[in-house]
Amino acid sequence: MFNLILFGPPGAGKGTQAVKIAEKFGWKHVSTGDILRAEVSQGTPLGLKVKSVMDAGLLVSDDLLIEIMESVFVKHAAVKGFVLDGFPRTLNQAQELDKMLLKHGQEVSLVVALEVDEDELVNRLLKRAQDQGRKDDTAEVIKNRLVQYHHHTKPLIDYYTDKKLYREVYGVGTVEDIFSQLCTVINP
Ligand code: AMP
């Protein structure tokens, strides 16, 4: 099983590329943001619990995310691979992911980051706010989401670099160009 983490700040294009990667290699795309947004829009108890945190651009608790990921893994145990998009986002999540994968005889195969500079990220997120009306794409919330990224998620670069699993792809250009560079790096 190939376990790919598609890494990068909000607005880097992880969602777009994750869908294409999953389609090309026949892997399961797992977006924790999509899972949580579905819970919110269905008004489930979990959705009600996480809505305000997501609307503010803050991170949902590690325990909840780990629980969600474990159930996804168990449910899709037969797939050839996973593309994780938006998880892990904290060091604790990364460590718990390792433990969980180990329990299932698996490990993280590769971490590929999409590199995009901060001005471009903010412009993209503001544009997405207009196009998709995502509640967490307002200027104030965007700032929070980037702060969360720098504070909690960026340290994972060292974590995966130490494990020799970390690669980067420049995330500015056409969707197809970026995709083909990603495919070259992934090469399963
Ligand atoms: P995303 O679509 O990946 O940008 O996620 C949208 C929001 O969902 C984030 O701003 C967080 O509030 C929440 N979320 C998604 N994934 C995680 C995660 N791994 N850890 C904590 N919160 C998350």
Side-chain angles (χ1 to χ4, degrees):
M1 189 187 277
F2 200 97
N3 296 301
L4 172 72
I5 295 172
L6 195 55
F7 191 82
K14 298 189 296 293
T16 305
Q17 297 294 342
V19 168
K20 292 175 72 67
I21 293 165
E23 191 183 31
K24 179 177 166 96
F25 297 111
W27 297 342
K28 169 83 186 149
H29 171 211
V30 183
S31 158
T32 46
D34 285 351
I35 293 172
L36 291 168
R37 275 185 291 278
E39 298 280 343
V40 171
S41 70
Q42 288 161 26
T44 66
L46 173 62
L48 294 174
K49 202 162 153 184
V50 300
K51 185 180 184 311
S52 59
V53 176
M54 290 178 73
D55 284 349
L58 303 175
L59 293 182
V60 173
S61 81
D62 286 345
D63 288 352
L64 268 179
L65 264 296
I66 290 156
E67 213 176 287
I68 290 171
M69 281 309 300
E70 178 118 41
S71 69
V72 169
F73 268 100
V74 169
K75 189 169 163 197
H76 300 281
V79 297
K80 285 190 293 175
F82 284 101
V83 188
L84 303 187
D85 156 14
F87 182 92
R89 252 174 159 106
T90 65
L91 197 54
N92 183 30
Q93 289 180 16
Q95 288 163 340
E96 291 299 320
L97 173 66
D98 283 345
K99 280 191 217 161
M100 187 182 81
L101 289 172
L102 194 65
K103 217 166 72 185
H104 298 276
Q106 298 290 327
E107 59 189 6
V108 172
S109 308
L110 186 68
V111 180
V112 186
L114 286 168
E115 262 239 78
V116 177
D117 75 56
E118 192 110 351
D119 287 350
E120 171 75 14
L121 288 175
V122 174
N123 288 338
R124 287 186 187 182
L125 290 166
L126 286 169
K127 186 167 183 307
R128 188 164 77 186
Q130 285 176 343
D131 297 348
Q132 299 178 8
R134 255 179 71 165
K135 266 207 171 141
D136 57 354
D137 279 342
T138 63
E140 182 63 24
V141 177
I142 287 169
K143 207 174 80 191
N144 278 345
R145 295 174 68 213
L146 291 170
V147 167
Q148 299 298 307
Y149 172 76
H150 285 291
H151 195 76
H152 296 288
T153 310
K154 223 177 163 184
L156 296 186
I157 295 176
D158 287 341
Y159 183 74
Y160 290 116
T161 301
D162 286 349
K163 292 177 181 287
K164 306 206 182 332
L165 292 173
Y166 184 78
R167 308 275 184 286
E168 277 178 356
V169 162
Y170 186 53
V172 181
T174 67
V175 169
E176 287 309 322
D177 280 350
I178 297 164
F179 179 57
S180 94
Q181 287 177 58
L182 283 170
C183 291
T184 307
V185 171
I186 295 167
N187 190 26

Coordinates of all heavy atoms in Angstrom, one line a residue, residues 44-128:
T44 N -24.3 16.8 11.8 CA -24.1 15.7 12.7 C -23.5 16.2 14.1 O -23.0 17.4 14.1 CB -23.1 14.7 12.2 OG1 -21.8 15.4 12.1 CG2 -23.5 14.2 10.8
P45 N -23.6 15.4 15.1 CA -23.0 15.9 16.4 C -21.5 16.3 16.2 O -21.1 17.3 16.8 CB -23.1 14.6 17.3 CG -24.3 13.9 16.7 CD -24.3 14.1 15.3
L46 N -20.8 15.5 15.4 CA -19.4 15.9 15.2 C -19.3 17.3 14.5 O -18.5 18.1 14.8 CB -18.7 14.8 14.4 CG -17.3 15.1 13.9 CD1 -16.3 15.3 15.0 CD2 -16.7 14.0 13.0
G47 N -20.2 17.4 13.5 CA -20.2 18.7 12.7 C -20.5 19.9 13.6 O -19.9 20.9 13.5
L48 N -21.5 19.7 14.5 CA -21.8 20.8 15.4 C -20.7 21.1 16.3 O -20.4 22.3 16.7 CB -23.1 20.4 16.3 CG -24.4 20.2 15.5 CD1 -25.5 19.7 16.4 CD2 -24.8 21.5 14.8
K49 N -19.9 20.1 16.7 CA -18.8 20.3 17.6 C -17.6 21.1 17.0 O -17.0 21.9 17.6 CB -18.3 18.9 18.0 CG -17.5 18.9 19.3 CD -17.5 17.4 19.7 CE -16.2 17.1 20.6 NZ -16.2 15.7 20.9
V50 N -17.4 20.8 15.6 CA -16.2 21.4 15.0 C -16.5 22.7 14.2 O -15.5 23.4 13.8 CB -15.5 20.4 14.1 CG1 -15.1 19.2 14.8 CG2 -16.4 20.0 12.9
K51 N -17.7 23.0 14.0 CA -18.1 24.1 13.1 C -17.4 25.5 13.5 O -16.8 26.1 12.7 CB -19.6 24.3 13.1 CG -20.1 25.4 12.1 CD -21.6 25.6 12.1 CE -22.0 26.6 11.0 NZ -21.3 27.8 11.0
S52 N -17.5 25.8 14.8 CA -17.0 27.2 15.2 C -15.5 27.2 15.0 O -14.9 28.2 14.6 CB -17.4 27.5 16.6 OG -17.0 26.6 17.5
V53 N -14.8 26.1 15.3 CA -13.4 26.0 15.2 C -12.9 26.2 13.8 O -12.0 26.9 13.4 CB -12.8 24.7 15.8 CG1 -11.3 24.5 15.6 CG2 -13.2 24.5 17.2
M54 N -13.7 25.5 12.9 CA -13.3 25.6 11.4 C -13.6 27.0 10.9 O -12.8 27.5 10.1 CB -14.1 24.6 10.6 CG -13.7 23.1 10.9 SD -14.7 22.0 10.0 CE -14.1 22.2 8.3
D55 N -14.8 27.5 11.3 CA -15.1 28.9 10.8 C -14.1 29.9 11.2 O -13.9 30.9 10.5 CB -16.5 29.3 11.3 CG -17.6 28.6 10.6 OD1 -17.3 27.9 9.6 OD2 -18.8 28.7 11.1
A56 N -13.4 29.7 12.4 CA -12.4 30.6 12.9 C -11.1 30.4 12.2 O -10.1 31.1 12.5 CB -12.3 30.5 14.4
G57 N -10.9 29.3 11.5 CA -9.6 29.0 10.8 C -8.6 28.4 11.8 O -7.4 28.4 11.6
L58 N -9.2 27.8 12.9 CA -8.3 27.1 13.8 C -8.3 25.6 13.6 O -9.1 25.1 12.8 CB -8.8 27.4 15.3 CG -8.8 28.9 15.6 CD1 -9.4 29.1 17.0 CD2 -7.5 29.5 15.5
L59 N -7.4 24.9 14.3 CA -7.4 23.4 14.1 C -8.3 22.7 15.0 O -8.4 23.0 16.2 CB -5.9 22.9 14.3 CG -4.9 23.4 13.3 CD1 -3.5 22.8 13.6 CD2 -5.3 23.1 11.8
V60 N -9.0 21.7 14.4 CA -9.8 20.8 15.2 C -8.9 19.9 16.0 O -7.7 19.6 15.6 CB -10.7 19.9 14.2 CG1 -11.5 18.9 14.9 CG2 -11.6 20.9 13.4
S61 N -9.4 19.3 17.2 CA -8.5 18.6 18.1 C -7.9 17.4 17.5 O -8.5 16.7 16.6 CB -9.3 18.2 19.4 OG -10.0 17.0 19.1
D62 N -6.6 17.1 17.9 CA -5.9 16.0 17.4 C -6.7 14.7 17.6 O -6.8 13.8 16.7 CB -4.5 15.8 18.1 CG -3.6 16.9 17.6 OD1 -3.8 17.5 16.5 OD2 -2.5 17.1 18.3
D63 N -7.3 14.5 18.8 CA -8.0 13.3 19.1 C -9.1 13.0 18.1 O -9.2 11.9 17.6 CB -8.6 13.4 20.5 CG -7.6 13.3 21.6 OD1 -6.4 13.0 21.2 OD2 -7.9 13.5 22.7
L64 N -9.8 14.0 17.7 CA -10.9 13.8 16.8 C -10.4 13.4 15.4 O -10.9 12.5 14.7 CB -11.7 15.1 16.6 CG -12.9 15.3 17.5 CD1 -13.6 16.6 17.3 CD2 -13.9 14.2 17.2
L65 N -9.3 14.1 15.0 CA -8.8 13.8 13.6 C -8.2 12.4 13.6 O -8.4 11.7 12.6 CB -7.7 14.8 13.3 CG -8.1 16.0 12.5 CD1 -8.5 15.6 11.1 CD2 -9.2 16.8 13.1
I66 N -7.5 12.0 14.6 CA -6.9 10.7 14.7 C -8.0 9.6 14.6 O -7.9 8.6 13.9 CB -6.0 10.5 15.9 CG1 -4.8 11.4 15.7 CG2 -5.6 9.1 16.1 CD1 -4.1 11.9 16.9
E67 N -9.1 9.9 15.3 CA -10.3 8.9 15.3 C -10.8 8.8 13.9 O -11.1 7.8 13.4 CB -11.3 9.5 16.3 CG -12.2 8.5 17.0 CD -13.1 9.2 17.9 OE1 -12.6 9.7 19.0 OE2 -14.3 9.3 17.6
I68 N -11.0 10.0 13.2 CA -11.5 10.0 11.9 C -10.6 9.2 10.9 O -11.1 8.4 10.2 CB -11.7 11.5 11.4 CG1 -12.8 12.2 12.1 CG2 -11.9 11.5 9.9 CD1 -12.9 13.7 11.8
M69 N -9.3 9.5 11.1 CA -8.4 8.8 10.1 C -8.3 7.3 10.4 O -8.3 6.5 9.4 CB -6.9 9.3 10.3 CG -6.7 10.6 9.7 SD -7.1 10.7 8.0 CE -6.1 9.5 7.3
E70 N -8.4 6.9 11.6 CA -8.4 5.4 11.9 C -9.6 4.8 11.3 O -9.5 3.7 10.6 CB -8.3 5.2 13.4 CG -8.4 3.7 13.8 CD -7.1 3.2 14.5 OE1 -6.6 3.9 15.4 OE2 -6.6 2.1 14.2
S71 N -10.8 5.4 11.4 CA -12.0 4.8 10.8 C -11.9 4.8 9.3 O -12.3 3.8 8.6 CB -13.3 5.4 11.3 OG -13.4 6.7 10.8
V72 N -11.3 5.8 8.7 CA -11.1 5.8 7.2 C -10.2 4.6 6.8 O -10.5 3.9 5.8 CB -10.5 7.2 6.7 CG1 -10.0 7.1 5.3 CG2 -11.5 8.3 6.9
F73 N -9.1 4.4 7.5 CA -8.1 3.4 7.2 C -8.8 2.0 7.3 O -8.6 1.1 6.4 CB -6.9 3.4 8.1 CG -5.8 4.2 7.5 CD1 -5.6 5.5 7.9 CD2 -5.0 3.7 6.5 CE1 -4.6 6.3 7.3 CE2 -4.0 4.5 5.9 CZ -3.8 5.8 6.3
V74 N -9.5 1.8 8.4 CA -10.2 0.5 8.6 C -11.2 0.3 7.5 O -11.3 -0.8 6.9 CB -10.8 0.5 10.0 CG1 -11.7 -0.7 10.1 CG2 -9.7 0.5 11.1
K75 N -12.0 1.3 7.1 CA -13.0 1.2 6.1 C -12.4 0.9 4.7 O -13.1 0.2 4.0 CB -13.8 2.5 6.1 CG -15.1 2.4 5.3 CD -15.9 3.7 5.5 CE -17.0 3.8 4.4 NZ -17.5 5.1 4.3
H76 N -11.3 1.4 4.4 CA -10.7 1.3 3.1 C -9.4 0.5 3.1 O -8.5 0.7 2.3 CB -10.4 2.7 2.5 CG -11.6 3.5 2.3 ND1 -12.6 3.4 1.3 CD2 -12.1 4.5 3.1 CE1 -13.5 4.2 1.5 NE2 -13.3 4.9 2.6
A77 N -9.4 -0.5 4.0 CA -8.1 -1.3 4.2 C -7.7 -2.0 2.9 O -6.5 -2.3 2.8 CB -8.4 -2.3 5.3
A78 N -8.6 -2.2 2.0 CA -8.2 -3.0 0.8 C -7.7 -2.1 -0.4 O -7.3 -2.7 -1.4 CB -9.4 -3.8 0.3
V79 N -7.6 -0.8 -0.2 CA -7.1 0.0 -1.3 C -5.6 -0.2 -1.6 O -4.9 -0.6 -0.7 CB -7.4 1.5 -1.1 CG1 -8.9 1.8 -1.0 CG2 -6.7 2.1 0.1
K80 N -5.2 0.3 -2.8 CA -3.8 0.2 -3.2 C -2.9 1.3 -2.6 O -1.7 1.2 -2.5 CB -3.6 0.2 -4.7 CG -4.1 -1.0 -5.4 CD -3.7 -0.9 -6.9 CE -4.5 0.2 -7.6 NZ -4.1 0.4 -9.0
G81 N -3.6 2.4 -2.3 CA -2.9 3.5 -1.7 C -3.8 4.6 -1.2 O -5.0 4.6 -1.5
F82 N -3.2 5.5 -0.4 CA -4.0 6.7 0.1 C -3.2 7.9 -0.3 O -2.0 8.0 -0.4 CB -4.0 6.7 1.6 CG -5.0 5.7 2.2 CD1 -4.6 4.5 2.7 CD2 -6.4 6.0 2.2 CE1 -5.5 3.6 3.2 CE2 -7.3 5.1 2.7 CZ -6.9 3.9 3.2
V83 N -4.0 9.0 -0.7 CA -3.4 10.3 -0.8 C -4.0 11.1 0.3 O -5.2 11.4 0.3 CB -3.8 11.0 -2.1 CG1 -3.1 12.3 -2.3 CG2 -3.6 10.1 -3.3
L84 N -3.2 11.4 1.3 CA -3.7 12.2 2.5 C -3.6 13.7 2.2 O -2.5 14.2 1.9 CB -3.0 11.8 3.7 CG -3.0 10.3 4.1 CD1 -2.4 10.1 5.5 CD2 -4.4 9.8 4.1
D85 N -4.7 14.4 2.3 CA -4.7 15.8 1.9 C -5.3 16.6 3.1 O -6.4 16.5 3.4 CB -5.6 15.9 0.7 CG -6.2 17.3 0.4 OD1 -5.8 18.3 1.1 OD2 -7.2 17.3 -0.4
G86 N -4.4 17.3 3.8 CA -4.8 18.1 5.0 C -4.6 17.3 6.3 O -5.0 17.8 7.4
F87 N -3.9 16.2 6.3 CA -3.6 15.4 7.4 C -2.3 14.7 7.2 O -2.1 14.2 6.1 CB -4.7 14.4 7.7 CG -4.4 13.6 9.0 CD1 -4.9 14.0 10.2 CD2 -3.7 12.4 8.9 CE1 -4.7 13.2 11.3 CE2 -3.4 11.7 10.1 CZ -3.9 12.1 11.3
P88 N -1.3 14.7 8.1 CA -1.4 15.3 9.5 C -1.1 16.8 9.4 O -0.4 17.2 8.5 CB -0.3 14.5 10.2 CG 0.7 14.1 9.1 CD -0.1 13.9 7.9
R89 N -1.5 17.5 10.4 CA -1.3 18.9 10.5 C -0.6 19.3 11.8 O -0.3 20.5 11.9 CB -2.7 19.6 10.5 CG -3.0 20.3 9.1 CD -4.4 20.8 9.3 NE -4.8 21.9 8.4 CZ -5.6 21.7 7.4 NH1 -5.9 20.6 6.9 NH2 -6.0 22.8 6.7
T90 N -0.3 18.4 12.7 CA 0.4 18.7 13.9 C 1.4 17.5 14.1 O 1.2 16.4 13.5 CB -0.5 18.8 15.1 OG1 -1.0 17.5 15.4 CG2 -1.6 19.8 15.0
L91 N 2.4 17.8 14.9 CA 3.4 16.8 15.2 C 2.8 15.6 15.8 O 3.1 14.4 15.5 CB 4.5 17.4 16.1 CG 5.8 16.6 16.2 CD1 6.4 16.4 14.8 CD2 6.8 17.4 17.0
N92 N 1.9 15.9 16.7 CA 1.1 14.8 17.4 C 0.4 13.9 16.4 O 0.4 12.7 16.5 CB 0.2 15.4 18.5 CG -0.5 14.4 19.3 OD1 0.0 13.3 19.5 ND2 -1.7 14.7 19.7
Q93 N -0.3 14.6 15.5 CA -1.0 13.8 14.4 C -0.1 12.9 13.6 O -0.4 11.8 13.3 CB -1.8 14.7 13.5 CG -3.0 15.4 14.1 CD -3.7 16.3 13.1 OE1 -3.5 16.3 11.9 NE2 -4.6 17.2 13.7
A94 N 1.1 13.5 13.3 CA 2.1 12.7 12.5 C 2.6 11.5 13.3 O 2.7 10.4 12.7 CB 3.3 13.6 12.2
Q95 N 2.8 11.7 14.6 CA 3.3 10.6 15.4 C 2.2 9.5 15.6 O 2.4 8.3 15.5 CB 3.7 11.1 16.8 CG 5.1 11.8 16.7 CD 5.3 12.7 17.9 OE1 4.4 13.1 18.7 NE2 6.6 13.1 18.1
E96 N 1.0 10.0 15.8 CA -0.1 9.0 15.9 C -0.4 8.3 14.6 O -0.8 7.1 14.6 CB -1.4 9.8 16.4 CG -1.3 10.3 17.8 CD -1.1 9.1 18.9 OE1 -1.7 8.1 18.7 OE2 -0.3 9.3 19.8
L97 N -0.2 9.0 13.5 CA -0.4 8.4 12.2 C 0.6 7.2 12.0 O 0.3 6.1 11.6 CB -0.2 9.4 11.1 CG -0.2 8.8 9.6 CD1 -1.6 8.2 9.3 CD2 0.1 9.9 8.6
D98 N 1.8 7.5 12.4 CA 2.9 6.5 12.3 C 2.5 5.2 13.1 O 2.6 4.1 12.7 CB 4.2 7.0 12.8 CG 4.9 7.9 11.8 OD1 4.5 7.9 10.6 OD2 5.8 8.6 12.1
K99 N 2.0 5.5 14.4 CA 1.6 4.4 15.2 C 0.5 3.6 14.6 O 0.4 2.4 14.7 CB 1.1 4.9 16.6 CG 2.3 5.3 17.5 CD 1.7 5.6 18.9 CE 2.4 6.7 19.6 NZ 1.7 7.3 20.7
M100 N -0.5 4.4 14.1 CA -1.7 3.7 13.5 C -1.3 2.9 12.3 O -1.8 1.7 12.2 CB -2.7 4.8 13.1 CG -4.0 4.2 12.7 SD -5.1 5.6 12.2 CE -4.4 5.8 10.6
L101 N -0.5 3.4 11.5 CA 0.0 2.7 10.3 C 0.7 1.4 10.7 O 0.5 0.3 10.1 CB 0.8 3.6 9.3 CG 0.0 4.7 8.6 CD1 1.0 5.6 7.9 CD2 -1.0 4.1 7.6
L102 N 1.6 1.6 11.7 CA 2.4 0.4 12.1 C 1.5 -0.7 12.6 O 1.7 -1.9 12.3 CB 3.3 0.9 13.3 CG 4.4 0.0 13.7 CD1 5.4 -0.2 12.5 CD2 5.2 0.5 14.9
K103 N 0.4 -0.3 13.3 CA -0.6 -1.3 13.8 C -1.2 -2.1 12.7 O -1.5 -3.2 12.9 CB -1.7 -0.5 14.6 CG -2.2 -1.2 15.8 CD -3.0 -0.2 16.6 CE -4.4 0.1 16.0 NZ -5.1 1.1 16.8
H104 N -1.3 -1.5 11.5 CA -1.8 -2.1 10.4 C -0.7 -2.6 9.4 O -1.0 -2.9 8.2 CB -2.8 -1.2 9.6 CG -4.0 -0.7 10.4 ND1 -5.1 -1.5 10.5 CD2 -4.2 0.3 11.2 CE1 -6.0 -0.9 11.3 NE2 -5.4 0.2 11.7
G105 N 0.5 -2.7 9.9 CA 1.6 -3.2 9.1 C 2.0 -2.2 7.9 O 2.5 -2.7 6.9
Q106 N 1.7 -1.0 8.1 CA 2.0 0.0 7.1 C 2.9 1.1 7.6 O 3.2 1.2 8.8 CB 0.6 0.7 6.6 CG -0.4 -0.3 6.1 CD 0.0 -0.7 4.7 OE1 0.7 0.0 3.9 NE2 -0.3 -2.0 4.4
E107 N 3.3 2.0 6.6 CA 4.1 3.2 7.0 C 3.9 4.3 6.0 O 3.3 4.0 4.9 CB 5.6 2.8 7.1 CG 6.1 2.3 5.8 CD 7.6 1.8 5.9 OE1 8.1 1.7 7.0 OE2 8.2 1.5 4.9
V108 N 4.3 5.5 6.3 CA 4.2 6.6 5.4 C 5.2 6.3 4.3 O 6.4 6.0 4.6 CB 4.5 8.0 6.1 CG1 4.6 9.1 5.0 CG2 3.4 8.3 7.1
S109 N 4.8 6.4 3.0 CA 5.7 6.1 1.9 C 6.4 7.3 1.5 O 7.6 7.2 1.1 CB 4.9 5.5 0.7 OG 4.0 4.5 1.1
L110 N 5.8 8.5 1.4 CA 6.4 9.7 0.9 C 5.5 10.9 1.3 O 4.3 10.8 1.4 CB 6.4 9.5 -0.7 CG 7.1 10.6 -1.5 CD1 8.6 10.5 -1.3 CD2 6.8 10.4 -3.0
V111 N 6.3 12.0 1.5 CA 5.6 13.3 1.7 C 6.0 14.2 0.7 O 7.2 14.5 0.5 CB 6.0 13.8 3.1 CG1 5.3 15.1 3.4 CG2 5.7 12.8 4.2
V112 N 5.1 14.8 -0.1 CA 5.4 15.7 -1.1 C 4.7 17.0 -0.8 O 3.5 17.1 -0.7 CB 5.0 15.3 -2.6 CG1 5.5 16.3 -3.6 CG2 5.6 13.9 -2.9
A113 N 5.5 18.1 -0.7 CA 4.9 19.4 -0.4 C 4.8 20.3 -1.7 O 5.6 20.2 -2.6 CB 5.9 20.1 0.5
L114 N 3.7 21.0 -1.7 CA 3.5 22.0 -2.8 C 4.0 23.3 -2.2 O 3.5 23.8 -1.2 CB 2.1 22.1 -3.2 CG 1.6 20.9 -4.0 CD1 0.1 20.9 -4.2 CD2 2.2 21.0 -5.4
E115 N 5.0 23.9 -2.9 CA 5.6 25.2 -2.4 C 5.0 26.4 -3.1 O 5.1 26.5 -4.4 CB 7.1 25.1 -2.8 CG 8.0 24.7 -1.8 CD 9.0 25.8 -1.6 OE1 8.6 26.8 -0.9 OE2 10.1 25.8 -2.1
V116 N 4.4 27.3 -2.4 CA 3.8 28.5 -3.0 C 4.1 29.6 -2.0 O 3.9 29.5 -0.8 CB 2.2 28.3 -3.1 CG1 1.6 29.5 -3.7 CG2 1.9 27.1 -4.1
D117 N 4.5 30.8 -2.6 CA 4.8 31.9 -1.6 C 3.5 32.5 -1.1 O 2.5 32.4 -1.6 CB 5.8 32.9 -2.3 CG 5.1 33.8 -3.3 OD1 4.1 34.4 -2.9 OD2 5.6 33.8 -4.4
E118 N 3.8 33.2 0.1 CA 2.6 33.6 0.9 C 1.6 34.6 0.2 O 0.4 34.4 0.3 CB 3.2 34.3 2.2 CG 2.2 34.5 3.2 CD 2.4 33.5 4.4 OE1 3.2 32.6 4.4 OE2 1.6 33.8 5.4
D119 N 2.2 35.5 -0.6 CA 1.3 36.5 -1.3 C 0.3 35.7 -2.2 O -0.9 36.0 -2.3 CB 2.1 37.5 -2.1 CG 2.8 38.5 -1.2 OD1 2.4 38.5 0.0 OD2 3.6 39.3 -1.7
E120 N 0.9 34.8 -3.0 CA 0.1 34.0 -3.9 C -0.9 33.2 -3.2 O -2.1 33.1 -3.6 CB 1.1 33.1 -4.7 CG 0.5 32.0 -5.6 CD -0.2 32.6 -6.9 OE1 0.1 33.7 -7.2 OE2 -1.0 31.8 -7.5
L121 N -0.6 32.6 -2.0 CA -1.5 31.9 -1.2 C -2.7 32.7 -0.8 O -3.9 32.3 -1.0 CB -0.9 31.3 0.1 CG 0.1 30.2 0.0 CD1 0.7 30.0 1.3 CD2 -0.5 29.0 -0.6
V122 N -2.5 33.9 -0.3 CA -3.5 34.8 0.1 C -4.4 35.1 -1.0 O -5.7 35.1 -0.9 CB -3.0 36.1 0.8 CG1 -4.1 37.0 1.2 CG2 -2.2 35.7 2.1
N123 N -3.8 35.5 -2.2 CA -4.6 35.8 -3.4 C -5.5 34.6 -3.8 O -6.7 34.8 -4.1 CB -3.7 36.2 -4.6 CG -3.1 37.5 -4.4 OD1 -3.6 38.3 -3.6 ND2 -2.0 37.8 -5.0
R124 N -4.9 33.4 -3.8 CA -5.7 32.3 -4.2 C -6.9 32.0 -3.2 O -8.0 31.7 -3.6 CB -4.8 31.0 -4.2 CG -3.9 30.9 -5.3 CD -3.2 29.6 -5.3 NE -2.1 29.5 -6.2 CZ -1.4 28.4 -6.4 NH1 -1.6 27.3 -5.6 NH2 -0.4 28.3 -7.2
L125 N -6.6 32.2 -1.9 CA -7.6 31.9 -0.9 C -8.8 32.9 -1.0 O -9.9 32.6 -0.9 CB -7.0 31.9 0.5 CG -6.1 30.6 0.7 CD1 -5.3 30.8 2.0 CD2 -6.9 29.4 0.9
L126 N -8.4 34.2 -1.3 CA -9.4 35.2 -1.4 C -10.3 34.9 -2.7 O -11.5 35.1 -2.7 CB -8.8 36.6 -1.5 CG -8.2 37.1 -0.2 CD1 -7.4 38.4 -0.4 CD2 -9.4 37.4 0.8
K127 N -9.6 34.5 -3.7 CA -10.4 34.2 -5.0 C -11.3 33.0 -4.7 O -12.4 33.0 -5.2 CB -9.4 33.9 -6.1 CG -10.0 33.7 -7.4 CD -9.1 33.7 -8.6 CE -9.8 33.5 -9.9 NZ -10.7 32.4 -9.9
R128 N -10.8 32.0 -4.0 CA -11.6 30.8 -3.7 C -12.9 31.2 -2.9 O -13.9 30.7 -3.0 CB -10.8 29.8 -2.9 CG -11.5 28.4 -2.8 CD -10.6 27.3 -2.4 NE -10.2 27.4 -1.0 CZ -9.3 26.6 -0.4 NH1 -8.6 25.7 -1.2 NH2 -9.0 26.7 0.8

